[in-house]
Amino acid sequence: MRNVMVISLCALLAFFGLAACAQDQAASTGRQTLKGLSTVRPAPNFDLGAAKEAASKGTGLAIFTYSINATKDNNIYSGTMVGGSPFAKRKGTTNVPTYIIPVIVVIGATTFDPTVADTTCMVPPNDVPLTVFDNSPLFISPAASWVMNGVNVGKGQYIDAFQRANFWADVGGSSYNVNLSPVTVLSPAVYNVPAQDGNIISDSTFGNGGCGPNINPQGVEGEIYINDFDTWITGTLLPQYKQITPSTFPVILLYNVVMGLTQPPNVVECCVIGYHGATAGPPSGQTYSPMDFDTSGIFGTGVRDTSASAHEIGEWVNDPYGTNPTPVWSSGQSAACSSGGQNNLEVGDPLSGLSNDWTVTGANGFTYHLQELTFFSWFYNADHVASLGSGGDFSNNGTFKGPSEPCPPGGTYPN
């Protein structure tokens, strides 16, 4: 069985200071909200040489590698990202063919289907989750340019614009792009959840109770055991689509379904709203990312529609194989330094629950929510070293004004 790497439950408990890691402070309704979490499944037996060779032949994911002497701890760190190198003299455009796979989840008698209209939770004509998702700024460039930290970084998809802002000191004014293109919606798949792997969460118990009395349409959130689901994705789902190869990026779309850390799942060891992973390899390895388009309200305002997707796609671009190391840090969803901190280049995690998220109205009139993301410099720079990011900040909507403060060896650092 493949196991998805998750932050330990004890670490989560320590960080959130709660009797149950999934529960957050009381919402305005008087109900507690659930805490949305993200994780990563690193590629087993990762072979950087094979990855680079596959990329050069066009049979693998389009990537570049970097090596940096981190001024934070004076150690050298190497990693891999999607796209062309922002540090190269010639800047160009990278297009990664992307496939959206809607997954209909069946837990007992309850079905969660992103392909059908939900007129209780969503407003016509924007009431089909899959259609709304496909038309989001993650895949379609808004009419206006993105302004990040006071800098006009140009038009494009959200993550494309983020990557320019991420390395603005090197790519500003150039034609640097990392696009999900073309984007194709594939036929839906059905995941019949084994009895021991499913849980139904009542929306009325948490957050604002959902957007209506009969949301999606049962008034419930689905929860599935993450490890068995991942085994189904890699062993059953992805192999059935011949279009999906290591050079493409499959997005697995869930609707009001999250993932639990235990079998059977429960609301205590919950709720993974998305992750990105990679199978063994490359050159045969495949990156992928399941993510929840959530309208339930059980997370309060912390997780809405495309916020989890912005988090995961941003992390996939910056750490596609889940193998990019950094100095140890603690922020957002990460455990406190006293519990080990976190030491990977996951650009969404440091701002989970802390960020100044983007609100963007699409051409369809739907208001999308996109999580703010963390710049490369935040992970590696010391306090006295300037950021490569737009406006000299360390995240793309101004939350981080300086780099992370490193966890001291064997010590603690207050969050």
Side-chain angles (χ1 to χ4, degrees), residues 35-118:
K35 175 68 70 174
L37 305 171
S38 174
T39 189
V40 59
R41 179 186 180 274
N45 305 314
F46 178 67
D47 186 333
L48 177 58
K52 292 170 67 175
E53 181 179 0
S56 67
K57 294 178 178 178
T59 58
L61 191 63
I63 57 170
F64 73 91
T65 59
Y66 67 88
S67 183
I68 181 171
N69 187 348
T71 53
K72 184 166 295 177
D73 61 5
N74 293 316
N75 289 320
I76 295 176
Y77 295 86
S78 298
T80 306
M81 292 188 184
V82 177
S85 174
F87 309 118
K89 289 184 179 180
R90 297 186 63 180
K91 315 292 194 257
T93 294
T94 300
N95 295 315
V96 179
T98 300
Y99 294 99
I100 299 173
I101 307 173
V103 173
I104 301 166
V105 175
V106 181
I107 304 176
T110 306
T111 299
F112 301 85
D113 190 343
T115 70
V116 300
D118 183 349

Side-chain angles (χ1 to χ4, degrees), residues 266-302:
N266 59 67
V267 296
V268 177
E269 292 91 353
C270 181
C271 301
V272 176
I273 55 176
Y275 67 94
H276 65 104
T279 60
S284 59
Q286 176 69 59
T287 63
Y288 60 96
S289 182
M291 54 193 68
D292 175 32
F293 185 100
D294 207 284
T295 57
S296 68
I298 66 173
F299 300 102
T301 59

Side-chain angles (χ1 to χ4, degrees), residues 7 9 18 54 62 123-124 143 153 156 175 194 212 217 238 261 294 352 378-379 385-386:
I7 300 171
L9 177 59
L18 301 168
V123 179
V153 299
S175 58
L238 297 181
L261 309 180
D294 207 284
S352 291
W378 184 86
F379 296 90
V385 179

Side-chain angles (χ1 to χ4, degrees), residues 1-6 224-232 260-261:
M1 179 182 297
R2 297 180 174 89
N3 291 322
V4 178
M5 184 185 75
V6 295
I224 56 180
Y225 178 45
I226 191 169
N227 287 338
D228 283 355
F229 182 53
D230 186 72
T231 299
W232 178 80
L261 309 180

Side-chain angles (χ1 to χ4, degrees), residues 338-409:
S338 58
S339 299
Q342 198 165 322
N343 64 343
N344 51 6
L345 190 69
E346 295 293 295
V347 299
D349 291 353
L351 285 163
S352 291
L354 302 178
S355 59
N356 181 20
D357 294 346
W358 292 88
T359 300
V360 179
T361 301
N364 56 2
F366 186 88
T367 300
Y368 293 92
H369 299 87
L370 306 165
Q371 190 194 307
E372 182 182 9
L373 301 171
T374 312
F375 287 159
F376 180 84
S377 295
W378 184 86
F379 296 90
Y380 298 112
N381 284 23
D383 284 334
H384 65 280
V385 179
S387 171
L388 298 175
S390 61
D393 285 345
F394 289 79
S395 60
N396 71 323
N397 208 14
T399 295
F400 286 154
K401 300 296 184 183
S404 68
E405 299 193 48
C407 290

Side-chain angles (χ1 to χ4, degrees), residues 96-175:
V96 179
T98 300
Y99 294 99
I100 299 173
I101 307 173
V103 173
I104 301 166
V105 175
V106 181
I107 304 176
T110 306
T111 299
F112 301 85
D113 190 343
T115 70
V116 300
D118 183 349
T119 55
T120 300
C121 193
M122 303 177 75
V123 179
N126 295 312
D127 56 2
V128 178
L130 172 61
T131 303
V132 174
F133 180 71
D134 185 34
N135 285 282
S136 76
L138 294 167
F139 308 112
I140 295 178
S141 174
S145 295
W146 296 92
V147 177
M148 298 185 174
N149 303 325
V151 177
N152 185 331
V153 299
K155 295 183 178 181
Q157 299 166 342
Y158 177 59
I159 302 303
D160 171 40
F162 169 74
Q163 283 302 91
R164 285 197 300 279
N166 195 8
F167 298 106
W168 189 250
D170 290 288
V171 305
S174 73
S175 58

